[in-house]
């Protein structure tokens, strides 16, 4: 996001952000939420700041790592996301002092991510960074997240989503129901065998609300 800063040391603006942790890349990160959280805690830097939402089985791990690194832990608060509304183009929220924020991403999960971004901006402002509110609004109104419920065609309507774990597919399902519940749908699905494809297929098809085409690479 745009905006000027008055700090002489840009490293003062280093903030670690940890979003909801799910079972993903288990062959690399570990087979449990605890193991994955311990690996992801590696982004926590000494004498800096970290932001997260409270999450069972994760918070205590991040708290301990922050304490070891003299790192200040901040929590975003979902209860402070107010006046939520959505349309086919934008979602809209208030968060703390930030009012009438339009977000060019779909789904409640992106609302939560945006609140973390706003929390991060508040921390930077408290450190002396001059980030203007109109720059914040412009950034969230134009942000693009490739392959996350991304519209790649409007006629016909084609949505591309790269989700491949349980959390991502649950969020995808919620977004389909939120925006396209009454539309006819065709799903074209490709899943790497290294992913938990059984749970992905189960979650995708349990509502049986369209035609499913599964690809296979020989």
């Amino acid at each position: 996001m745009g905006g000027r800063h008055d700090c002489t040391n840009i490293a003062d603006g280093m903030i670690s952000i940890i979003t909801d942790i799910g079972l993903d890349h288990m062959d690399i990160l570990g087979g449990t939420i605890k193991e994955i959280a311990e690996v992801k805690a590696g982004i926590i830097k000494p004498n800096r700041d970290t932001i997260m939402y409270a999450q069972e089985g994760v918070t205590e791990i991040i708290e301990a790592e922050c304490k070891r690194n003299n790192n200040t832990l901040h929590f975003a608060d979902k209860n402070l996301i107010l006046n939520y509304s959505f349309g086919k183009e934008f979602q809209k929220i208030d968060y703390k002092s930030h009012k009438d924020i339009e977000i060019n991403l779909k789904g409640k999960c992106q609302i939560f991510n945006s609140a973390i971004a706003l929390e991060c901006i508040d921390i930077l402002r408290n450190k002396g960074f001059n980030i203007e509110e109109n720059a914040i609004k412009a950034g969230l109104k134009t942000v693009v997240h490739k392959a996350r419920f991304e519209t790649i065609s409007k006629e016909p309507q084609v949505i591309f989503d790269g989700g491949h774990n349980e959390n991502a597919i649950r969020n995808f399902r919620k977004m389909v129901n939120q925006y396209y519940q009454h539309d006819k749908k065709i799903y074209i699905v490709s899943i790497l065998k290294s992913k938990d494809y059984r749970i992905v297929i189960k979650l995708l098809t349990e509502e049986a609300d369209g035609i499913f085409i599964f690809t296979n690479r020989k």
Side-chain angles (χ1 to χ4, degrees):
M1 295 177 191
R4 303 183 307 275
H5 67 84
D6 300 323
C7 292
T8 56
N9 183 5
I10 197 68
D12 289 340
M14 181 181 292
I15 299 173
S16 302
I17 296 177
I18 299 174
T19 56
D20 285 349
I21 293 177
L23 295 173
D24 194 12
H25 304 293
M26 296 165 66
D27 54 327
I28 299 172
L29 301 179
T32 67
I33 293 292
K34 180 179 182 294
E35 290 173 340
I36 294 171
E38 288 172 344
V39 173
K40 292 199 172 185
I43 69 169
I44 295 169
K45 304 304 179 186
N47 307 312
R48 301 301 177 196
D49 296 85
T50 297
I51 307 171
M52 66 176 296
Y53 286 112
Q55 182 180 353
E56 185 178 354
V58 172
T59 299
E60 54 269 27
I61 294 170
I62 303 304
E63 284 178 330
E65 190 65 21
C66 285
K67 186 174 181 180
R68 278 193 289 271
N69 284 278
N70 192 35
N71 184 292
T72 302
L73 180 60
H74 309 259
F75 289 95
D77 189 345
K78 294 179 182 179
N79 293 321
L80 296 178
I81 300 172
L82 303 174
N83 299 320
Y84 171 72
S85 63
F86 73 94
K88 285 295 179 74
E89 296 298 325
F90 300 105
Q91 301 187 92
K92 194 172 182 178
I93 62 168
D94 296 340
Y95 185 75
K96 293 186 173 180
S97 64
H98 305 280
K99 308 299 182 184
D100 299 320
I101 301 295
E102 293 181 300
I103 301 162
N104 187 38
L105 299 170
K106 291 182 170 65
K108 283 289 186 70
C109 60
Q110 300 296 357
I111 290 298
F112 301 145
N113 289 340
S114 297
I116 281 188
L118 293 170
E119 194 76 39
C120 180
I121 286 165
D122 287 343
I123 295 170
L124 291 173
R125 282 175 162 176
N126 288 335
K127 289 176 176 291
F129 285 77
N130 180 15
I131 306 174
E132 298 172 358
E133 194 69 13
N134 61 356
I136 298 167
K137 289 186 173 182
L140 285 171
K141 191 171 183 177
T142 57
V143 63
V144 175
H145 192 175
K146 293 291 186 181
R148 282 295 180 266
F149 216 75
E150 178 188 4
T151 298
I152 59 176
S153 172
K154 291 187 176 180
E155 293 184 7
Q157 184 83 36
V158 179
I159 305 296
F160 177 48
D161 192 278
H164 51 253
N165 63 29
E166 182 174 352
N167 279 358
I169 297 303
R170 288 190 186 279
N171 285 328
F172 173 79
R173 261 288 165 213
K174 290 176 183 177
M175 286 186 279
V176 169
N177 290 337
Q178 182 177 358
Y179 290 95
Y180 303 108
Q181 183 175 8
H182 302 296
D183 295 318
K184 294 181 179 179
K185 293 174 281 290
I186 299 174
Y187 298 87
I188 302 174
V189 185
S190 179
I191 311 170
L192 293 172
K193 65 181 181 180
S194 60
K195 304 301 179 183
D196 191 356
Y197 59 88
R198 291 180 178 85
I199 188 63
V200 170
I201 292 172
K202 177 180 181 295
L203 292 172
L204 277 177
T205 60
E206 62 185 1
E207 296 184 26
D209 61 341
I211 298 170
F212 291 84
I213 300 170
F214 293 89
T215 66
N216 179 36
R217 187 179 71 178
K218 295 183 179 179

